[in-house]
Structure formats: structure tokens, C-alpha cells
Amino acid sequence: MSLLSHSSPSDVAQAKARGVSPGGDVMIHGLPNALGFVGKLHLIRDWTLGCVAVTNPEIEEIWRVVPDGVVVEIVP
């Protein structure tokens, strides 16, 4: 699991103005323990609360090929 970012000060201010939580850590991760068999079916519904979820084989590949400290930009 890789930490991407924490809420920025502007994210915190916007969330406070809306009366909601700014969230916390944003991660790239595989599927929960014992649910790896779900595979790409996890894409049917957003269950991550803001994280980027991939299949377990995909996270293993990311872990193998992406160096520590690489900049990750998530574009909606």
C-alpha cells in the first residue's frame, strides 16, 4: 500500500465549509484480505472512500515497477 497524500489546507477548509470530513490518507491498494478472488468485479461499486483500488496482481506489478518517491497524479 502506498501513501499518496494527506488533505491539503484548502481541502480541509472546503470540507469544513461544507460540514464534511476532508478525509485522510489516499492510498493505492489491492483488494482486502481473502477477497482477491473478486478481481476486476471490484470496479462495479466504489468501496474505497477515496483510494485507488486495483486487483492484487495489479498492485504487485505496481509495487515491482514503480520506484519509491515517484510522483502520482490522479486526474478525475
Side-chain angles (χ1 to χ4, degrees):
M1 197 176 316
S2 300
L3 176 63
L4 295 180
S5 69
H6 294 278
S7 303
S8 71
S10 66
D11 292 334
V12 173
Q14 288 176 20
K16 185 175 181 178
R18 293 177 29 220
V20 298
S21 169
D25 299 337
V26 176
M27 307 267 182
I28 298 176
H29 59 73
L31 300 175
N33 291 340
L35 291 179
F37 69 90
V38 172
K40 293 219 179 252
L41 289 176
H42 79 90
L43 296 171
I44 293 173
R45 181 173 84 76
D46 182 7
W47 55 274
T48 67
L49 300 176
C51 291
V52 176
V54 296
T55 65
N56 290 347
E58 289 168 337
I59 197 62
E60 289 172 12
E61 180 177 359
I62 292 167
W63 189 265
R64 203 172 46 252
V65 301
V66 177
D68 289 346
V70 72
V71 175
V72 175
E73 182 177 353
I74 300 172
V75 180

